[in-house]
Amino acid sequence: MKKNILFLFCTTVIFLSCRKHHDDDPQPATSTLTADVLSDLSDHVIGATYNDLEAQASVLYQDVLTLQAATNETNLSACRQSWRECRSAWEQSEGFLFGPVESQNIDPRIDTWPVNFNDLDSVLSSSAVFTSGYIDSLDDALKGFHPVEYLLFGVNGNKAATDFTPRQLDLLTALTENLRSLTASIAAQWNAANPNGYRSQFVSAGSGSTVYTTQRSAFEEMVNAMSGICDEVANEKIDGPYVAQDPSLEESPFAFNSTTDFTNNIKSVRNIYLGSYTSDGKGIEDLVRQYDLSLDGSIKQKINAALAALGTVTVPFGQAIAQQPVQLQNSMSAISDLQQTIDNQLMPFIQAHTN
């Protein structure tokens, strides 16, 4: 009896001594888990965000029609609020700027900045009819969110309803209709009911997709997009105007919305990582937590640190350039730190644990 106990003890010691930690012996996750993550991210984050964007763009368009019919302060205020809500959904989509939004050049057609004032004034003073075809033909800087922002808020953010001309209202209507059309196009591509949409390519990565021949390539696409928006926020959206000390270079100056834009961009990274937008599903965290709790904790901490740093900017970004340089520097540092973790730790992890 004692020999059997001794044998069992020795066998157990030998077995345990031979086991390796997951970090030392990375193994691919099960294809079921990775498939679940791709499916849930498609529906709970990407598709949900684009559905919200389409809905908010439709509200904005309808509010503009109401403003055109009755140009008063109440209707103008409603348009401004719907612009902000639509903008929020768009900025929370920038952590996954791939697929149709990239291949169909929808991103620059929606979100090129800064606005070219002289050219926009030329459009307004022309005799052009603002048809959908005409709006499509305009340079990217003359359509999308920021010309709409300029028309709604004015240069100093205090435009009055009585300042609108019929021509401005016509252009505003045409621009918001174009925005509604483009956002509907993206949403349709990620709709689960669309068998020929982009979602079907994404969720079938590694098992029939012609775009993603492996699941790893789909995960790499997401991680690259997360890194890309961090780089853009820190090194273009904040650093560019900050270094130049030029508020005219900021992203959303007329609505004083730039810092909110930056915050929503980082939230988009968080949404992809957690698998959550308006509802919860599996996200990249579910894969990371299976193998590396330390990395999971680090990524979450750095996302929260970036959001907290942006939260210390308490004046409009154009003013913060001069008045709160330390807060902006801390924000850039925190976002860059997050990006480095995504590039140097999350990407190698994904490559080691997916097929």
Side-chain angles (χ1 to χ4, degrees):
M1 184 68 173
K2 291 181 180 180
K3 289 182 180 180
N4 289 340
I5 294 174
L6 180 62
F7 174 78
L8 178 60
F9 173 78
C10 293
T11 303
T12 303
V13 170
I14 293 170
F15 172 73
L16 291 175
S17 67
C18 290
R19 292 182 64 189
K20 294 183 179 180
H21 190 273
H22 286 301
D23 290 342
D24 300 324
D25 185 22
Q27 296 293 324
T30 65
S31 58
T32 300
L33 173 59
T34 49
D36 285 348
V37 171
L38 293 177
S39 178
D40 280 8
L41 284 175
S42 295
D43 297 335
H44 291 272
V45 179
I46 302 175
T49 305
Y50 285 138
N51 287 340
D52 189 22
L53 176 63
E54 178 189 11
Q56 296 299 339
S58 293
V59 171
L60 174 59
Y61 174 64
Q62 292 300 324
D63 284 346
V64 166
L65 289 178
T66 301
L67 177 67
Q68 187 174 37
T71 312
N72 56 49
E73 291 299 328
T74 298
N75 292 337
L76 176 57
S77 178
C79 287
R80 288 173 171 173
Q81 182 58 30
S82 57
W83 181 90
R84 289 189 178 96
E85 291 174 2
C86 188
R87 183 75 181 158
S88 175
W90 167 253
E91 291 299 296
Q92 288 193 61
S93 78
E94 291 204 311
F96 40 89
L97 283 177
F98 56 84
V101 72
E102 178 184 33
S103 63
Q104 297 175 19
N105 292 318
I106 293 176
D107 175 26
R109 292 155 69 191
I110 283 179
D111 197 25
T112 293
W113 47 274
V115 172
N116 187 321
F117 296 107
N118 293 328
D119 287 351
L120 190 60
D121 288 340
S122 295
V123 169
L124 288 166
S125 62
S126 74
S127 59
V129 179
F130 298 144
T131 63
S132 60
Y134 177 80
I135 298 299
D136 279 334
S137 72
L138 289 173
D139 289 341
D140 290 337
L142 298 177
K143 56 195 173 189
F145 277 105
H146 299 298
V148 171
E149 178 195 5
Y150 171 67
L151 289 169
L152 286 176
F153 292 87
V155 174
N156 298 312
N158 58 358
K159 186 175 183 177
T162 54
D163 293 332
F164 280 89
T165 67
R167 189 76 170 157
Q168 289 176 347
L169 289 167
D170 287 344
L171 179 57
L172 183 60
T173 301
L175 288 172
T176 52
E177 185 176 22
N178 179 259
L179 184 62
R180 181 186 66 164
S181 175
L182 290 174
T183 56
S185 174
I186 311 172
Q189 286 291 322
W190 286 94
N191 192 319
N194 181 1
N196 299 315
Y198 196 84
R199 177 193 180 277
S200 64
Q201 294 287 338
F202 190 73
V203 299
S204 64
S207 59
S209 173
T210 59
V211 177
Y212 302 101
T213 56
T214 64
Q215 289 185 334
R216 180 182 299 161
S217 63
F219 277 91
E220 288 174 338
E221 181 96 273
M222 287 189 292
V223 174
N224 280 325
M226 293 164 66
S227 171
I229 193 57
C230 289
D231 178 65
E232 183 177 349
V233 173
N235 299 315
E236 294 182 38
K237 294 186 177 188
I238 300 178
D239 190 58
Y242 174 75
V243 169
Q245 289 292 291
D246 186 356
S248 71
L249 299 177
E250 71 170 296
E251 185 169 20
S252 300
F254 316 117
F256 305 118
N257 207 68
S258 296
T259 304
T260 300
D261 286 349
F262 310 154
T263 301
N264 282 324
N265 286 160
I266 302 306
K267 285 182 178 179
S268 72
V269 174
R270 182 186 66 187
N271 296 347
I272 284 288
Y273 187 72
L274 298 181
S276 175
Y277 180 62
T278 54
S279 61
D280 292 329
K282 289 186 174 67
I284 294 176
E285 74 153 344
D286 290 270
L287 177 58
V288 177
R289 285 178 61 82
Q290 186 177 35
Y291 294 95
D292 195 334
L293 289 175
S294 176
L295 176 58
D296 175 63
S298 177
I299 293 171
K300 290 174 180 174
Q301 184 273 324
K302 291 179 181 181
I303 290 172
N304 290 335
L307 291 171
L310 288 167
T312 67
V313 181
T314 57
V315 297
F317 177 68
Q319 298 174 28
I321 291 172
Q323 297 176 16
Q324 295 185 333
V326 173
Q327 288 89 331
L328 293 182
Q329 290 171 347
N330 289 341
S331 296
M332 288 186 282
S333 177
I335 296 168
S336 294
D337 194 25
L338 171 61
Q339 183 190 2
Q340 290 175 13
T341 299
I342 291 171
D343 289 343
N344 300 330
Q345 297 184 53
L346 181 58
M347 180 61 86
F349 172 90
I350 288 297
Q351 292 169 336
H353 294 90
T354 58
N355 285 317

